[in-house]
Amino acid sequence: MILKSFLEEFLLLFRPEPFRELARLTLWSKRKGKIDPFDFLISLLFGQMSALRLTLASQAQSFEEPVSRQGIDQRYTPAAVAFLKASFDYVLVQTLDWSVGRSQTEALREHFSAVHLLDSTAFDCPASLKDCFPSCGGAGSAANVKVLLRYEILGGALQPMEVLAGKRSDQGLALRTVESLQKNELQINDKGFFAAAAWRLAQERGAYLLMPLPRSVSLWTAGGLGEPEEELDLAAQLKASQEVRVEWPKVFVGQEGTHRAGPLRVVAFRLSPESASRHRSGLREAMRTKGRTPTAEALELAGWLILVTNAPPEKLPSAMLGYLYRMRWQVELIFRQAKTVLRLDQTESENPSRVQCEIWARLLCAVILFLWHANLNAECWVRFRSEASFEKVIVTMRQWGHTIARAFLKQPAELLQELRTLWRHLLKQGPKGRQKSRTNSWDALLDLWLEPKRPKPMA
């Protein structure tokens, strides 16, 4: 059932005519030529997905009619950038509300209507793009691109939110990332997105945030009736504690005025001796490169994972905060795969239009891959009670890249048959292997909170 509905939706999504209309609207296609707009888009998406090098010749191999590399190169214009961006927006809008079957994430829906993982990544690009994407300066490239990305884990939807200049700071984007949150949605951020205004807006919207606490943020606890607030010496209290978890249910962060937010919950988890040692060594090395020595307070805090949230304990138990925050590393895996497999940060061109087209094409390719992964994950959970490996999905799709691109030149029935064959390969190769040596984060969340195992009745 999942197979039929998803593949049919996928075929309807990639009907040629809407994309040809977008090409006309963006003035990329003014008259019928040898290179069809839809074929150009598909060759850029799937043809280059499987290419070892990002060449025009590899893209040309995906066309039914022979096309020269020079002919393709001439089509990379500012209008082509507008066409690729419009195609990306069209696919994203069409797929954001797609539903998938039940997976291991479904139990979390009883607590939150959506759970977003948010982060950004940056990479250098040719200096010819320095006017579009200026970098922060220094010894690096003059041009740098930052991609702001959000992954919704309940539905498996990937949403690249913006492509920005590398000099834009995460903190400066914090408020914008909260503006799209709805009531009862949770967003898990890195500490770089910490901003008091973002916390206040989340509170107003009835949305929730979860992120590590930056060391530079001051904490305040409310005093008794008529008594002033007291600044919380976090390092001193953690040093004096013998507990593995210490929490403060109601604190305010930041100084008075626009930098103040709260009340929030702060929960600190003691790291293992090995992890604490690694974090402290990393801190010492980072400070050494700046000619400084870390303070005793900073070294103490480095031995703890300190999280802050506005979600109440009945909605998000304190003991589960650490497990849920680990989910954020899925975004890091997305960025790793986007760079190593989709080659998001690579190009062989100095043509600004081609470079921008490739960036939008690879972001669109990532959205497509996550559509396939989300539906495969649901099918694997139903059939095998196992997650689907995104890494295995992306490797298999890469192997099939040219086959998919060529299949789009066939009749719909033949294309559907090719996609069914690909799906069967993914079902065979996609499920994750179980790790007997340790419990992963999802297993811990399910067993300890979402679907606790009931004790066996006494005989």
Side-chain angles (χ1 to χ4, degrees), residues 10-11 38-39 42-51 58-64 372 395-425:
F10 187 76
L11 288 181
F38 182 70
D39 292 347
I42 293 300
S43 67
L44 189 55
L45 287 178
F46 298 107
Q48 290 206 68
M49 183 197 298
S50 61
S58 68
Q59 185 178 356
Q61 293 174 14
S62 301
F63 289 88
E64 186 172 24
W372 279 75
V395 168
T396 302
M397 295 287 279
R398 181 178 181 181
Q399 294 168 347
W400 279 67
H402 275 304
T403 303
I404 297 173
R406 300 286 296 180
F408 271 97
L409 302 175
K410 302 178 181 179
Q411 294 299 317
E414 296 177 272
L415 172 57
L416 181 59
Q417 187 58 43
E418 290 277 13
L419 295 179
R420 287 182 182 278
T421 302
L422 169 59
W423 186 271
R424 289 194 294 270
H425 280 272

Side-chain angles (χ1 to χ4, degrees), residues 231-278:
E231 186 169 5
L232 176 63
D233 189 340
L234 193 61
Q237 293 209 20
L238 291 177
K239 185 176 182 179
S241 175
Q242 300 298 316
E243 304 296 326
V244 296
R245 185 178 81 238
V246 185
E247 57 184 287
W248 294 265
K250 188 176 180 180
V251 300
F252 293 86
V253 298
Q255 301 294 335
E256 290 288 352
T258 59
H259 300 292
R260 170 62 63 94
L264 306 175
R265 293 166 57 207
V266 174
V267 183
F269 299 86
R270 187 187 300 273
L271 300 178
S272 67
E274 297 79 9
S275 295
S277 178
R278 286 196 303 271

Side-chain angles (χ1 to χ4, degrees), residues 110-143:
E110 297 181 9
H111 301 266
F112 302 101
S113 54
V115 178
H116 303 281
L117 311 180
L118 181 111
D119 208 346
S120 67
T121 188
F123 52 88
D124 290 339
C125 56
S128 57
L129 271 75
K130 64 181 180 180
D131 292 335
C132 299
F133 302 108
S135 69
C136 296
S141 171

Side-chain angles (χ1 to χ4, degrees), residues 17-28 82-83 86-87 90:
E17 197 49 47
F19 296 98
R20 289 170 181 156
E21 179 62 22
L22 289 175
R24 289 190 287 268
L25 292 174
T26 56
L27 304 180
W28 185 81
F83 170 47
S87 298
Y90 171 79

